């Protein structure tokens, strides 16, 4: 299995850059402990590990044991079920230290799963900062590019100020109140007088260098939160949680929640690494998948969106004709035989999740990262003969029905009322990984579940 280079070497110590480097010392370590890790299907595995093992080491271990592709999205989560909260354990954190904070009768657990949004802050930092919510140094004239913004946040002296509205719930109370919050390097504050940021009106809430930030898994149900996008702050040496829920628009909701979590990463890494810029890295799919025209004597990249859509439709028809020819050359199987062959193909694919409900699909995609192109395919609950493509775009999850189309005794699948047809779901997914077609974006990251 090939090794994918670490896209963010600045964020990880060299001792965990390779699987072999973090596994080899285990045989020499005398202090070991047994930890239990769960996967999304709630299967678990107990492993004996050294007392100084990090979250990144654990991820590398399970990637190796389960023969997964290391695309730097596999993540270790700490989940506290009775509070319905969880958090991403940062790569450098000691897993044993995390467990040591659990009570003896605690039901806390570790989960190993994908999180495609894990490094989004470092890939697309500008997406996290709407201009109206950021106050930056006058030296920049209010304009910052990708690398400047990263450098600014990694600098101990020039952290921008983030401000906006949140709903907050006071300890011991059921009601939520809307406050104007200010996030600075020194911590999180709220104003007791409108949107005033005068020192006498700002009250300190939390300081993140000694705190952990958790997301609410069922904010509305468990905490009576006004939105589904909530988080709570816990001082590392304290068991008291302060739940917060973001106000405003959905794009801002995610911005606030994700930014707070990312800020804890930055603050912790600042202690390990001095101000060093992190180079942006496009995903593997973005680097390798482009719209191409193979109709002429020479292939070319299609840059015009309208032309790309036209070619996409023609390519789908071409694939259908080739598939029909291939089937006819092997004895022209019947519709039922062709249908069974198609079923056998897609059920083995990691992006297919069979009897998953709409709500379960939304939960799975949300857990694995609300970034453009995260998708899965599932059976339709309303129509047994159809399938559904669930896709994330602009932090919203949309569902597209895949309709079976029968023509001349052959069964095809289509997303656009039969204009573009495919002999099986595998062809359909591969096509939309290359071409956006009728979708809002190309398919980039499939939701995968593994059994430990």
């Amino acid at each position: 299995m090939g090794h994918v280079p670490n896209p963010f070497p600045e964020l990880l110590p060299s001792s965990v850059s390779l699987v072999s480097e973090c596994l080899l010392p285990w045989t020499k370590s005398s202090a070991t402990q047994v930890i239990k890790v769960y996967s999304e299907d709630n299967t678990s595995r107990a492993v004996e590990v050294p007392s100084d093992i990090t979250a990144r080491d654990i991820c590398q271990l399970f990637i190796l044991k389960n023969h997964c592709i290391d695309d730097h999205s596999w993540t270790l989560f700490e989940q506290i079920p009775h509070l319905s909260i969880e958090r991403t354990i940062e790569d450098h954190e000691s897993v044993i230290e995390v467990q040591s904070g659990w009570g003896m009768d605690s039901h806390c657990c570790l989960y190993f799963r994908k999180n495609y949004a894990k490094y989004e802050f470092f890939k697309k930092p500008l997406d996290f900062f709407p201009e109206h919510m950021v106050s930056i140094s006058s030296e920049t004239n209010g304009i910052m590019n990708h690398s400047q913004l990263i450098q600014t946040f990694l600098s101990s002296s020039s952290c921008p100020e983030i401000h906006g509205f949140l709903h907050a719930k006071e300890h011991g109370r059921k009601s939520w109140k809307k406050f104007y919050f200010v996030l600075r390097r020194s911590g999180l504050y709220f104003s007791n007088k409108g949107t005033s940021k005068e020192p006498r009106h700002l009250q300190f809430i939390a300081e993140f260098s000694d705190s952990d930030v958790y997301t609410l898994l069922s904010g509305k149900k468990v905490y009576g939160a006004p939105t589904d996008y909530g988080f709570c702050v816990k001082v590392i040496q304290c068991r008291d949680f302060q739940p917060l829920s973001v106000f405003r628009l959905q794009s801002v909701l995610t911005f606030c929640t994700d930014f707070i979590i990312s800020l804890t990463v930055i603050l912790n890494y600042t202690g390990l690494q001095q101000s060093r810029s992190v180079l942006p890295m496009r995903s593997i799919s973005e680097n390798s998948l482009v719209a191409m025209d193979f109709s002429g004597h020479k292939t070319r990249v299609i840059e015009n969106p309208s032309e790309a859509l036209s070619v996409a439709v023609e390519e789908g028809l071409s694939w259908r004709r080739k598939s029909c020819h291939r089937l006819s050359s092997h004895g022209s199987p019947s519709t039922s035989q062709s249908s069974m062959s198609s079923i056998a193909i897609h059920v083995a694919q990691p992006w297919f999740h069979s009897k998953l409900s709409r709500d379960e699909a939304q939960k799975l995609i949300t857990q694995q990262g609300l970034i453009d192109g995260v998708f899965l395919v599932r059976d339709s609950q309303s129509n047994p003969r159809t399938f559904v493509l669930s896709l994330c775009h602009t932090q919203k999850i949309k569902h597209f029905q895949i309709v079976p189309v029968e023509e001349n005794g052959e069964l095809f699948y289509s997303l656009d009322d039969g204009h573009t047809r495919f002999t099986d779901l595998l062809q359909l997914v591969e096509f939309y990984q290359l071409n956006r077609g009728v979708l809002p974006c190309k398919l980039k990251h499939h939701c995968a579940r593994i059994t430990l």
Side-chain angles (χ1 to χ4, degrees):
M1 180 177 66
H3 177 73
V4 180
N6 175 19
F8 308 108
E10 294 86 350
L11 304 184
L12 295 176
S14 58
S15 59
V16 298
S17 59
L18 296 176
V19 174
S20 58
E21 291 177 353
C22 66
L23 296 181
L24 186 58
W26 294 11
T27 57
K28 302 177 182 179
S29 177
S30 57
T32 61
Q33 295 191 34
V34 175
I35 65 171
K36 192 174 186 180
V37 180
Y38 291 83
S39 66
E40 284 177 308
D41 62 359
N42 286 322
T43 58
S44 64
R45 175 178 289 190
V47 292
E48 187 176 2
V49 298
S51 57
D52 60 349
I53 193 169
T54 65
R56 178 64 177 169
D57 295 338
I58 292 292
C59 289
Q60 291 285 10
L61 172 64
F62 282 103
I63 288 169
L64 184 66
K65 285 183 175 292
N66 291 279
H67 307 287
C68 302
I69 296 176
D70 186 6
D71 58 0
H72 305 287
S73 65
W74 291 102
T75 308
L76 194 65
F77 288 85
E78 175 192 10
Q79 191 171 110
I80 306 179
H82 70 282
L83 294 176
S84 191
I85 61 175
E86 71 173 15
R87 75 177 180 98
T88 298
I89 302 179
E90 296 167 21
D91 287 341
H92 66 278
E93 282 191 77
S94 166
V95 177
I96 302 303
E97 286 185 9
V98 172
Q99 286 194 323
S100 67
W102 301 349
M104 294 296 293
D105 57 347
S106 171
H107 296 288
C108 302
C109 48
L110 300 172
Y111 272 84
F112 173 70
R113 68 169 186 260
K114 278 184 171 291
N115 178 18
Y116 289 111
K118 184 176 182 179
Y119 295 120
E120 275 300 282
F121 171 81
F122 299 99
K123 293 178 183 177
K124 301 177 181 178
L126 298 177
D127 292 350
F128 287 77
F129 307 103
E131 292 183 4
H132 68 280
M133 295 183 68
V134 183
S135 299
I136 57 179
S137 170
S138 59
E139 298 176 2
T140 64
N141 296 321
I143 301 175
M144 302 188 76
N145 60 26
H146 179 112
S147 60
Q148 287 175 327
L149 190 57
I150 286 290
Q151 185 68 31
T152 299
F153 269 90
L154 292 180
S155 171
S156 60
S157 61
S158 59
C159 181
E161 178 183 275
I162 312 299
H163 45 85
F165 287 95
L166 300 174
H167 270 117
K169 182 180 179 182
E170 296 181 43
H171 184 69
R173 297 199 175 184
K174 294 183 179 180
S175 61
W176 292 73
K177 294 183 179 179
K178 174 184 164 186
F179 294 98
Y180 186 76
F181 281 81
V182 179
L183 179 64
R184 297 172 175 171
R185 182 164 291 278
S186 58
L188 182 66
Y189 303 80
F190 79 92
S191 176
N192 58 18
K193 187 176 182 180
T195 59
S196 172
K197 292 191 283 186
E198 294 184 21
R200 61 195 178 101
H201 295 145
L202 293 181
Q203 294 189 22
F204 178 79
I205 290 290
E207 198 265 324
F208 294 101
S209 62
D210 62 350
S211 301
D212 287 329
V213 180
Y214 294 76
T215 57
L216 307 184
L217 299 178
S218 303
K220 287 186 176 180
K221 181 178 180 181
V222 178
Y223 293 95
T227 79
D228 286 321
Y229 299 88
F231 61 91
C232 61
V233 180
K234 172 183 175 291
V235 178
I236 295 176
Q237 300 301 326
C238 177
R239 298 181 184 276
D240 187 29
F241 289 82
Q242 305 174 47
L244 302 173
S245 182
V246 186
F247 184 59
R248 296 208 170 189
L249 301 176
Q250 184 169 348
S251 59
V252 179
L253 298 177
T254 307
F255 153 75
C256 290
T257 303
D258 288 347
F259 171 75
I260 297 293
I261 295 172
S262 299
L263 184 62
T264 63
V265 177
I266 296 172
L267 289 172
N268 284 314
Y269 282 129
T270 302
L272 298 174
Q273 304 285 342
Q274 295 300 322
S275 302
R276 301 173 64 183
S277 62
V278 181
L279 297 178
M281 188 197 78
R282 299 170 66 192
S283 69
I284 296 174
S285 58
E286 286 179 311
N287 283 332
S288 58
L289 302 181
V290 294
M292 301 288 293
D293 178 14
F294 298 95
S295 60
H297 295 290
K298 294 182 179 180
T299 59
R300 64 185 180 91
V301 176
I302 303 174
E303 298 180 353
N304 186 308
S306 299
E307 184 184 4
L309 179 60
S310 175
V311 172
V313 174
E314 177 58 32
E315 187 174 345
L317 296 174
S318 176
W319 282 5
R320 177 169 66 89
R321 288 192 294 268
K322 290 179 181 178
S323 299
C324 291
H325 177 73
R326 183 176 68 252
L327 290 172
S328 63
S329 65
H330 288 81
S332 298
S334 64
T335 302
S336 60
Q337 290 175 320
S338 176
S339 176
M340 290 302 295
S341 175
S342 298
I343 293 175
I345 291 176
H346 69 254
V347 293
Q349 301 304 313
W351 40 257
F352 184 68
H353 294 267
S354 188
K355 303 298 181 181
L356 209 64
S357 69
R358 183 189 182 96
D359 290 342
E360 290 170 335
Q362 295 200 166
K363 180 181 177 181
L364 181 58
I365 292 177
T366 300
Q367 286 180 338
Q368 298 200 3
L370 290 175
I371 64 175
D372 288 357
V374 176
F375 76 97
L376 61 84
V377 179
R378 56 188 175 86
D379 289 317
S380 172
Q381 292 186 314
S382 58
N383 190 338
R385 295 186 65 245
T386 64
F387 300 93
V388 176
L389 170 67
S390 299
L391 172 66
C392 179
H393 180 246
T394 61
Q395 299 169 350
K396 296 179 181 179
I397 301 171
K398 302 178 180 180
H399 306 274
F400 303 88
Q401 193 169 55
I402 302 174
V403 181
V405 178
E406 198 166 330
E407 182 180 285
N408 298 327
E410 298 292 344
L411 182 66
F412 303 96
Y413 298 96
S414 176
L415 271 174
D416 54 7
D417 297 324
H419 294 292
T420 312
R421 306 177 187 182
F422 307 91
T423 57
D424 53 57
L425 295 184
L426 179 58
Q427 275 192 353
L428 183 146
V429 168
E430 289 179 342
F431 176 82
Y432 287 107
Q433 285 177 322
L434 291 166
N435 308 276
R436 190 184 73 176
V438 295
L439 299 176
C441 64
K442 289 185 284 189
L443 308 181
K444 296 181 181 179
H445 313 289
H446 68 268
C447 286
R449 282 175 165 173
I450 63 169
T451 300
L452 297 181

